[in-house]
Amino acid sequence: LGVLMRKFIAGVFLLFLTVESIAKELPDEWITVGQSELKIYWFSVYSAVLRTPDGRYSKGDMPLLLTLNYHRDIGRQALLDETEKELRRFITTNQVADLLMQINDIWPDVYEGDQLSFLLDNQGEGYFFFNGQFMGVLHKTYQSQAFVKIWLSTQSRYPTLAKKLRGEFNEDLSD
C-alpha cells in the first residue's frame, strides 16, 4: 500500500506540474551576478551561473536563476544522492526526504552539454528546468532556499565557487 500510495501521489503531483508548466518560463534578460566552474581534481563537472533581474545578489535575495551546464555524464541517482548529502547540511532529515520525494520522479540523467536551471521566484517557489523545458516546482520556501544554499551559502561545500557565484570574486580561483 505504501508504494502504491506514493505512485498515486506522484501521479497527481505530475499532473499538477503539467498545469503549472504553462505559467513558468526562464527569464531571458536577467544579468549575470557571477559564474564559476566545479572541478573535482582535474575533472570539470559543471559550470554554474547565477543571474538576477539587476545583476546583484545578497543573502536571501529573490528572485534568482541558478543554471548548471554539465561537462560530463551523471546518472539521475548520483545527482539525487549528492543533492541529498548537500541538503542535509541545511535542513532536517524529514525535510530532505520531503524535498527528494518531489524531485525523485522529475530529475533526469544528465549528459555532457545538458543544462539544469532553478528559478526562485519572489514568493519563494522554485522551478526546475532541464535544457530550457519546465520539469517541476517546489512550493515550500524553505525547500527552495535550502536548494540554492547548496551553491550560494557561506557554508557551501565549495566556498570559492559560492563566492564567485555571489559576485564576490572575479579571479579564476579554485576550491
Side-chain angles (χ1 to χ4, degrees), residues 1-38:
L1 180 64
V3 171
L4 187 60
M5 181 59 89
R6 280 192 302 230
K7 285 185 178 187
F8 172 76
I9 291 170
V12 170
F13 180 71
L14 288 174
L15 178 63
F16 182 69
L17 293 179
T18 303
V19 171
E20 274 197 279
S21 68
I22 298 167
K24 284 292 170 191
E25 295 180 0
L26 289 171
D28 286 335
E29 300 178 12
W30 285 11
I31 301 165
T32 298
V33 175
Q35 53 193 351
S36 189
E37 182 176 1
L38 178 65

Short mmCIF file of all heavy atoms in Angstrom, two decimals, residues 1-38:
data_model
loop_
_atom_site.label_atom_id
_atom_site.label_comp_id
_atom_site.label_asym_id
_atom_site.label_seq_id
_atom_site.Cartn_x
_atom_site.Cartn_y
_atom_site.Cartn_z
N LEU A 1 0.83 -1.21 0.00
CA LEU A 1 0.00 0.00 0.00
C LEU A 1 0.87 1.25 0.00
O LEU A 1 0.55 2.22 -0.67
CB LEU A 1 -0.94 -0.02 1.21
CG LEU A 1 -1.87 1.19 1.32
CD1 LEU A 1 -2.82 1.22 0.12
CD2 LEU A 1 -2.63 1.16 2.61
N GLY A 2 2.00 1.22 0.70
CA GLY A 2 2.86 2.41 0.76
C GLY A 2 3.40 2.80 -0.61
O GLY A 2 3.38 3.96 -0.99
N VAL A 3 3.87 1.82 -1.38
CA VAL A 3 4.42 2.08 -2.71
C VAL A 3 3.30 2.56 -3.64
O VAL A 3 3.47 3.51 -4.40
CB VAL A 3 5.11 0.83 -3.28
CG1 VAL A 3 5.50 1.01 -4.73
CG2 VAL A 3 6.32 0.47 -2.44
N LEU A 4 2.16 1.91 -3.58
CA LEU A 4 1.02 2.29 -4.41
C LEU A 4 0.58 3.71 -4.11
O LEU A 4 0.32 4.50 -5.02
CB LEU A 4 -0.12 1.30 -4.20
CG LEU A 4 -1.33 1.45 -5.12
CD1 LEU A 4 -0.91 1.27 -6.57
CD2 LEU A 4 -2.36 0.40 -4.76
N MET A 5 0.51 4.05 -2.84
CA MET A 5 0.10 5.39 -2.44
C MET A 5 1.10 6.44 -2.92
O MET A 5 0.72 7.49 -3.43
CB MET A 5 -0.05 5.48 -0.91
CG MET A 5 -0.51 6.84 -0.45
SD MET A 5 -2.09 7.34 -1.14
CE MET A 5 -3.20 6.66 0.05
N ARG A 6 2.41 6.13 -2.82
CA ARG A 6 3.44 7.07 -3.30
C ARG A 6 3.32 7.28 -4.80
O ARG A 6 3.46 8.41 -5.28
CB ARG A 6 4.83 6.59 -2.93
CG ARG A 6 5.20 6.89 -1.50
CD ARG A 6 6.66 6.65 -1.29
NE ARG A 6 6.95 5.27 -1.63
CZ ARG A 6 7.63 4.43 -0.89
NH1 ARG A 6 8.15 4.83 0.22
NH2 ARG A 6 7.82 3.19 -1.25
N LYS A 7 3.06 6.22 -5.55
CA LYS A 7 2.90 6.34 -7.00
C LYS A 7 1.67 7.18 -7.33
O LYS A 7 1.70 8.00 -8.25
CB LYS A 7 2.82 4.98 -7.66
CG LYS A 7 4.16 4.28 -7.72
CD LYS A 7 4.09 2.99 -8.47
CE LYS A 7 5.47 2.37 -8.54
NZ LYS A 7 5.52 1.21 -9.40
N PHE A 8 0.59 6.99 -6.60
CA PHE A 8 -0.61 7.78 -6.83
C PHE A 8 -0.33 9.25 -6.55
O PHE A 8 -0.69 10.12 -7.35
CB PHE A 8 -1.75 7.28 -5.93
CG PHE A 8 -2.96 8.16 -5.97
CD1 PHE A 8 -3.82 8.12 -7.06
CD2 PHE A 8 -3.23 9.04 -4.94
CE1 PHE A 8 -4.93 8.94 -7.12
CE2 PHE A 8 -4.33 9.87 -4.99
CZ PHE A 8 -5.19 9.81 -6.08
N ILE A 9 0.31 9.54 -5.43
CA ILE A 9 0.63 10.92 -5.08
C ILE A 9 1.56 11.53 -6.13
O ILE A 9 1.38 12.67 -6.55
CB ILE A 9 1.24 11.00 -3.67
CG1 ILE A 9 0.17 10.66 -2.63
CG2 ILE A 9 1.84 12.37 -3.40
CD1 ILE A 9 0.70 10.46 -1.22
N ALA A 10 2.56 10.77 -6.57
CA ALA A 10 3.48 11.26 -7.59
C ALA A 10 2.73 11.56 -8.89
O ALA A 10 2.99 12.57 -9.55
CB ALA A 10 4.60 10.25 -7.83
N GLY A 11 1.77 10.70 -9.26
CA GLY A 11 0.99 10.94 -10.47
C GLY A 11 0.16 12.20 -10.37
O GLY A 11 0.09 12.99 -11.32
N VAL A 12 -0.49 12.41 -9.25
CA VAL A 12 -1.27 13.63 -9.02
C VAL A 12 -0.35 14.84 -9.05
O VAL A 12 -0.66 15.87 -9.67
CB VAL A 12 -2.04 13.55 -7.68
CG1 VAL A 12 -2.65 14.89 -7.33
CG2 VAL A 12 -3.10 12.47 -7.75
N PHE A 13 0.83 14.73 -8.43
CA PHE A 13 1.80 15.81 -8.40
C PHE A 13 2.25 16.15 -9.82
O PHE A 13 2.31 17.32 -10.21
CB PHE A 13 3.00 15.41 -7.54
CG PHE A 13 4.06 16.44 -7.44
CD1 PHE A 13 3.85 17.60 -6.72
CD2 PHE A 13 5.27 16.26 -8.07
CE1 PHE A 13 4.83 18.56 -6.63
CE2 PHE A 13 6.27 17.22 -7.98
CZ PHE A 13 6.05 18.36 -7.27
N LEU A 14 2.55 15.14 -10.64
CA LEU A 14 2.98 15.39 -12.01
C LEU A 14 1.87 16.01 -12.84
O LEU A 14 2.12 16.88 -13.67
CB LEU A 14 3.48 14.10 -12.67
CG LEU A 14 4.83 13.59 -12.16
CD1 LEU A 14 5.15 12.23 -12.77
CD2 LEU A 14 5.93 14.58 -12.45
N LEU A 15 0.63 15.61 -12.62
CA LEU A 15 -0.50 16.24 -13.30
C LEU A 15 -0.58 17.71 -12.93
O LEU A 15 -0.75 18.58 -13.79
CB LEU A 15 -1.80 15.52 -12.94
CG LEU A 15 -3.08 16.10 -13.54
CD1 LEU A 15 -3.03 15.98 -15.06
CD2 LEU A 15 -4.30 15.38 -12.98
N PHE A 16 -0.42 18.01 -11.65
CA PHE A 16 -0.42 19.39 -11.19
C PHE A 16 0.72 20.18 -11.81
O PHE A 16 0.56 21.32 -12.22
CB PHE A 16 -0.32 19.42 -9.66
CG PHE A 16 -0.37 20.79 -9.08
CD1 PHE A 16 -1.53 21.54 -9.11
CD2 PHE A 16 0.76 21.35 -8.51
CE1 PHE A 16 -1.57 22.81 -8.58
CE2 PHE A 16 0.73 22.62 -7.98
CZ PHE A 16 -0.43 23.35 -8.02
N LEU A 17 1.89 19.57 -11.91
CA LEU A 17 3.04 20.25 -12.52
C LEU A 17 2.78 20.56 -13.98
O LEU A 17 3.20 21.60 -14.48
CB LEU A 17 4.30 19.38 -12.41
CG LEU A 17 4.84 19.15 -11.02
CD1 LEU A 17 6.08 18.25 -11.10
CD2 LEU A 17 5.18 20.46 -10.36
N THR A 18 2.10 19.69 -14.70
CA THR A 18 1.81 19.92 -16.10
C THR A 18 0.95 21.16 -16.26
O THR A 18 1.18 21.98 -17.15
CB THR A 18 1.09 18.69 -16.71
OG1 THR A 18 1.91 17.55 -16.51
CG2 THR A 18 0.82 18.88 -18.18
N VAL A 19 -0.04 21.33 -15.41
CA VAL A 19 -0.89 22.52 -15.45
C VAL A 19 -0.05 23.77 -15.17
O VAL A 19 -0.18 24.78 -15.85
CB VAL A 19 -2.04 22.40 -14.43
CG1 VAL A 19 -2.80 23.69 -14.30
CG2 VAL A 19 -2.96 21.25 -14.84
N GLU A 20 0.86 23.69 -14.20
CA GLU A 20 1.66 24.85 -13.85
C GLU A 20 2.71 25.20 -14.90
O GLU A 20 3.15 26.32 -14.98
CB GLU A 20 2.39 24.60 -12.53
CG GLU A 20 1.55 24.95 -11.35
CD GLU A 20 2.40 25.08 -10.14
OE1 GLU A 20 2.72 24.04 -9.56
OE2 GLU A 20 2.75 26.21 -9.79
N SER A 21 3.12 24.23 -15.69
CA SER A 21 4.21 24.46 -16.64
C SER A 21 3.86 25.53 -17.66
O SER A 21 4.74 26.15 -18.23
CB SER A 21 4.60 23.16 -17.34
OG SER A 21 3.57 22.72 -18.18
N ILE A 22 2.60 25.76 -17.89
CA ILE A 22 2.18 26.78 -18.83
C ILE A 22 2.59 28.16 -18.33
O ILE A 22 2.91 29.04 -19.12
CB ILE A 22 0.64 26.71 -19.02
CG1 ILE A 22 0.29 25.34 -19.61
CG2 ILE A 22 0.14 27.83 -19.89
CD1 ILE A 22 -1.19 25.01 -19.56
N ALA A 23 2.63 28.35 -17.01
CA ALA A 23 2.84 29.67 -16.44
C ALA A 23 4.32 30.06 -16.28
O ALA A 23 4.61 31.23 -16.14
CB ALA A 23 2.15 29.75 -15.08
N LYS A 24 5.26 29.13 -16.28
CA LYS A 24 6.65 29.46 -15.96
C LYS A 24 7.58 29.26 -17.14
O LYS A 24 7.55 28.23 -17.80
CB LYS A 24 7.16 28.61 -14.78
CG LYS A 24 6.63 29.08 -13.46
CD LYS A 24 7.20 30.44 -13.12
CE LYS A 24 6.50 31.02 -11.94
NZ LYS A 24 6.80 32.41 -11.70
N GLU A 25 8.39 30.28 -17.37
CA GLU A 25 9.43 30.22 -18.39
C GLU A 25 10.70 30.81 -17.81
O GLU A 25 10.66 31.61 -16.88
CB GLU A 25 9.03 31.01 -19.63
CG GLU A 25 7.83 30.45 -20.36
CD GLU A 25 7.47 31.27 -21.58
OE1 GLU A 25 8.15 32.27 -21.87
OE2 GLU A 25 6.48 30.90 -22.24
N LEU A 26 11.82 30.44 -18.39
CA LEU A 26 13.10 31.00 -17.96
C LEU A 26 13.21 32.45 -18.42
O LEU A 26 12.87 32.75 -19.57
CB LEU A 26 14.26 30.19 -18.53
CG LEU A 26 14.46 28.81 -17.93
CD1 LEU A 26 15.49 28.03 -18.73
CD2 LEU A 26 14.91 28.93 -16.48
N PRO A 27 13.68 33.34 -17.56
CA PRO A 27 13.86 34.74 -17.97
C PRO A 27 15.03 34.86 -18.95
O PRO A 27 16.06 34.23 -18.78
CB PRO A 27 14.15 35.46 -16.65
CG PRO A 27 14.64 34.40 -15.73
CD PRO A 27 14.01 33.12 -16.16
N ASP A 28 14.86 35.68 -19.96
CA ASP A 28 15.89 35.86 -20.99
C ASP A 28 16.89 36.96 -20.68
O ASP A 28 18.05 36.87 -21.03
CB ASP A 28 15.25 36.18 -22.34
CG ASP A 28 14.59 34.98 -22.98
OD1 ASP A 28 14.99 33.84 -22.67
OD2 ASP A 28 13.66 35.19 -23.78
N GLU A 29 16.44 38.01 -20.02
CA GLU A 29 17.25 39.21 -19.96
C GLU A 29 17.83 39.52 -18.58
O GLU A 29 18.22 40.65 -18.33
CB GLU A 29 16.43 40.40 -20.47
CG GLU A 29 15.99 40.19 -21.90
CD GLU A 29 15.15 41.31 -22.46
OE1 GLU A 29 15.07 42.38 -21.81
OE2 GLU A 29 14.56 41.11 -23.53
N TRP A 30 17.90 38.55 -17.70
CA TRP A 30 18.49 38.80 -16.40
C TRP A 30 19.99 38.94 -16.53
O TRP A 30 20.61 38.40 -17.46
CB TRP A 30 18.12 37.68 -15.44
CG TRP A 30 16.68 37.76 -14.96
CD1 TRP A 30 15.69 38.56 -15.46
CD2 TRP A 30 16.10 37.02 -13.91
NE1 TRP A 30 14.53 38.35 -14.78
CE2 TRP A 30 14.76 37.41 -13.81
CE3 TRP A 30 16.58 36.07 -13.04
CZ2 TRP A 30 13.88 36.89 -12.87
CZ3 TRP A 30 15.72 35.53 -12.09
CH2 TRP A 30 14.39 35.96 -12.01
N ILE A 31 20.58 39.60 -15.57
CA ILE A 31 22.00 39.95 -15.61
C ILE A 31 22.81 38.99 -14.74
O ILE A 31 22.41 38.64 -13.62
CB ILE A 31 22.20 41.41 -15.14
CG1 ILE A 31 21.39 42.34 -16.05
CG2 ILE A 31 23.67 41.79 -15.15
CD1 ILE A 31 21.22 43.74 -15.49
N THR A 32 23.96 38.58 -15.24
CA THR A 32 24.83 37.66 -14.52
C THR A 32 25.42 38.33 -13.29
O THR A 32 26.01 39.41 -13.38
CB THR A 32 25.97 37.16 -15.43
OG1 THR A 32 25.38 36.44 -16.52
CG2 THR A 32 26.93 36.24 -14.68
N VAL A 33 25.26 37.68 -12.14
CA VAL A 33 25.87 38.11 -10.88
C VAL A 33 27.29 37.54 -10.81
O VAL A 33 28.25 38.23 -10.51
CB VAL A 33 25.07 37.63 -9.66
CG1 VAL A 33 25.78 37.97 -8.35
CG2 VAL A 33 23.66 38.19 -9.68
N GLY A 34 27.40 36.24 -11.08
CA GLY A 34 28.69 35.56 -11.02
C GLY A 34 28.61 34.22 -11.72
O GLY A 34 27.53 33.72 -12.02
N GLN A 35 29.78 33.67 -11.98
CA GLN A 35 29.86 32.36 -12.61
C GLN A 35 31.12 31.66 -12.15
O GLN A 35 32.08 32.30 -11.74
CB GLN A 35 29.80 32.46 -14.13
CG GLN A 35 30.79 33.39 -14.74
CD GLN A 35 30.46 33.69 -16.20
OE1 GLN A 35 29.58 33.06 -16.79
NE2 GLN A 35 31.15 34.63 -16.77
N SER A 36 31.08 30.34 -12.20
CA SER A 36 32.22 29.55 -11.76
C SER A 36 32.12 28.15 -12.36
O SER A 36 31.13 27.82 -13.01
CB SER A 36 32.26 29.47 -10.23
OG SER A 36 33.47 28.89 -9.81
N GLU A 37 33.14 27.37 -12.13
CA GLU A 37 33.17 26.00 -12.62
C GLU A 37 33.55 25.09 -11.46
O GLU A 37 34.45 25.39 -10.70
CB GLU A 37 34.21 25.87 -13.73
CG GLU A 37 34.30 24.51 -14.35
CD GLU A 37 35.28 24.45 -15.51
OE1 GLU A 37 35.91 25.48 -15.82
OE2 GLU A 37 35.41 23.37 -16.08
N LEU A 38 32.83 23.97 -11.35
CA LEU A 38 33.16 22.98 -10.35
C LEU A 38 34.08 21.94 -10.99
O LEU A 38 33.70 21.31 -11.98
CB LEU A 38 31.92 22.29 -9.80
CG LEU A 38 32.21 21.18 -8.77
CD1 LEU A 38 32.85 21.77 -7.51
CD2 LEU A 38 30.95 20.41 -8.43
#
